[in-house]
Amino acid sequence: MSERKESIWSFPYLALMVVNLFQSMAAFMTNTTLPVYADALGATPSMVGIVVSSFSITALLARPFAGPAFDSFSRKRLLIASQLVICACMFLYGIVGTLEGLVAVRLVHGVGIGCSGPLAMSLVSEFLPESKFASGVSIYALAQSFAQVIGPAAGLYLVDAIGFSASYFLAAACLLVAICGVALIKEPYRERLRYELKLDRMFAPEAVGKGVALMLLATSFSCMGAYVVLYGYSVGVDQMGIFFIVYAVCLLGTRPLFGSLADRFGAPRMLIVGISFFAASYLALACADRLPLFIVAALLGSAGFGCCGPLLQSEALASVPPSRRGAASNTAFTGLDLGMLIGPMIGGAIVERVGLLLGSQPEAYSVMWVAMLVPAAAALVVVLRWNLKKGHRKQG
């Protein structure tokens, strides 16, 4: 009986991994092609940043109201509702043909994203034993890695083969499969709290530090997602789908490895290693002018964010009791959304201004990659403080 309790494997856990795979497929197909779509519609680098990141505005606005609901109502039903919103937006991306229309749909999309991610993560946490928490979350995140193997490259290929509209319709179909998967899960009983719009119900103070670290890393990470394809095209590298394939294949190994090491040596120590890899990837991008250098950047970046993202989320969930994991997940994802909001906007502004100053688009992108080392360094400072505090507690 004890061995069964210590296992992470169960039908709901596997079903949620499949759900994560298909919803991530839709997300990566869309996130990779939207900057290209906006560029094709005549967007400037700053406008590309606005299109890509505008979803974070509504995601952040929804979180104070959604957070208490995660711990008060059925997480399964709320997850289905949020995925239906995202599915509708995928369909609408295939219909709109203006930058204003893209931004409008992206804002609605943010409401679904603001709920879907924390709900899925808090629902997964209900099926994980405490001793396997970090590895369970990291393995669950492998579904995203599989999606990253297929999604970005497939999205770019489909855009060339059948156009933007049909590609987004296929992304909507992926969401429908995910919704069917959620419907098959039997939600376990848990103590439900009364719905109240109180600060400690919206967010978990215990998870704020993890949310801050996620925000800093997401600021840099979101710029890669928004601009790496356009950067590759600007230096004459057309096979940017390979970048995403390498990035995702590396995640398949690093996520479970770092999750297992975190269970053994502690998440704060492994986060230092992950952030070091993450920062090195931006130095590689700043020098990249050929495909092999982009591949090096992909290897380093996947090892870095593949380690840090799941570990910070699992640390946030582990910092509170099960009845408050919705608020903890909401706190971590709020940090993620803040980074996703400000990153592309800052990156786009840097590219425009430096491009005017230097008269070279590739050089402007290189300066932006170097600038993205600043939030990564700040995240390292946050994690180092955790290690110092942990050391002082052991000495005391």
Side-chain angles (χ1 to χ4, degrees), residues 11-12 15-16 18-19 74-81 83-84 123 175-187:
F11 173 76
L16 283 167
V18 173
V19 169
S74 167
R75 290 171 182 166
K76 171 183 171 178
R77 292 178 181 177
L78 289 173
L79 181 57
I80 290 175
Q83 288 182 331
L84 283 171
L123 191 58
L175 259 297
L176 288 175
V177 175
I179 291 166
C180 293
V182 177
L184 295 174
I185 299 167
K186 183 178 180 181
E187 189 173 6

Side-chain angles (χ1 to χ4, degrees), residues 350-371:
I350 292 172
V351 170
E352 276 197 17
R353 293 184 183 182
V354 175
L356 289 173
L357 185 65
L358 300 179
S360 169
Q361 194 87 338
E363 288 184 21
Y365 279 117
S366 293
V367 171
M368 181 195 68
W369 301 129
V370 174

Side-chain angles (χ1 to χ4, degrees), residues 16-261:
L16 283 167
M17 282 190 71
V18 173
V19 169
N20 194 19
L21 171 66
F22 279 94
Q23 70 182 18
S24 297
M25 272 284 296
F28 287 120
M29 287 172 64
T30 305
N31 291 342
T32 306
T33 57
L34 267 181
V36 183
Y37 190 21
D39 184 66
L41 292 174
T44 64
S46 291
M47 190 62 195
V48 170
I50 291 171
V51 170
V52 172
S53 65
S54 55
F55 79 93
S56 298
I57 298 173
T58 43
L60 288 167
L61 291 174
R63 291 212 186 281
F65 304 96
F70 298 162
D71 294 326
S72 299
F73 305 112
S74 167
R75 290 171 182 166
K76 171 183 171 178
R77 292 178 181 177
L78 289 173
L79 181 57
I80 290 175
S82 64
Q83 288 182 331
L84 283 171
V85 171
I86 298 173
C87 181
C89 289
M90 295 294 177
F91 182 79
L92 289 172
Y93 284 135
I95 296 177
V96 299
T98 64
L99 291 173
E100 295 80 8
L102 280 181
V103 172
V105 177
R106 197 70 168 154
L107 289 170
V108 178
H109 193 173
V111 177
I113 291 175
C115 297
S116 180
L119 279 168
M121 188 64 72
S122 55
L123 191 58
V124 164
S125 72
E126 296 185 47
F127 301 101
L128 291 174
E130 297 296 329
S131 63
K132 302 283 187 179
F133 216 82
S135 57
V137 172
S138 294
I139 292 172
Y140 165 77
L142 277 178
Q144 291 178 323
S145 305
F146 281 108
Q148 278 184 274
V149 172
I150 307 167
L156 293 172
Y157 171 78
L158 288 170
V159 162
D160 288 337
I162 59 178
F164 288 104
S165 295
S167 300
Y168 295 131
F169 295 156
L170 283 175
C174 289
L175 259 297
L176 288 175
V177 175
I179 291 166
C180 293
V182 177
L184 295 174
I185 299 167
K186 183 178 180 181
E187 189 173 6
Y189 172 80
R190 75 174 197 280
E191 179 187 355
R192 295 186 185 180
L193 306 177
R194 191 162 66 92
Y195 184 81
E196 295 177 302
L197 291 176
K198 292 182 177 180
L199 192 60
D200 64 344
R201 291 291 313 284
M202 299 173 186
F203 306 103
E206 304 94 325
V208 169
K210 288 76 178 176
V212 170
L214 265 173
M215 179 196 72
L216 292 166
L217 292 175
T219 299
S220 301
F221 178 74
S222 60
C223 282
M224 189 198 72
Y227 297 112
V228 73
V229 173
L230 297 177
Y231 175 49
Y233 290 170
S234 75
V235 296
V237 178
D238 297 325
Q239 310 95 343
M240 288 306 295
I242 297 174
F243 173 90
F244 294 102
I245 293 173
V246 172
Y247 193 101
V249 169
C250 185
L251 283 177
L252 299 180
T254 56
R255 276 187 165 161
L257 173 63
F258 281 115
S260 177
L261 291 173

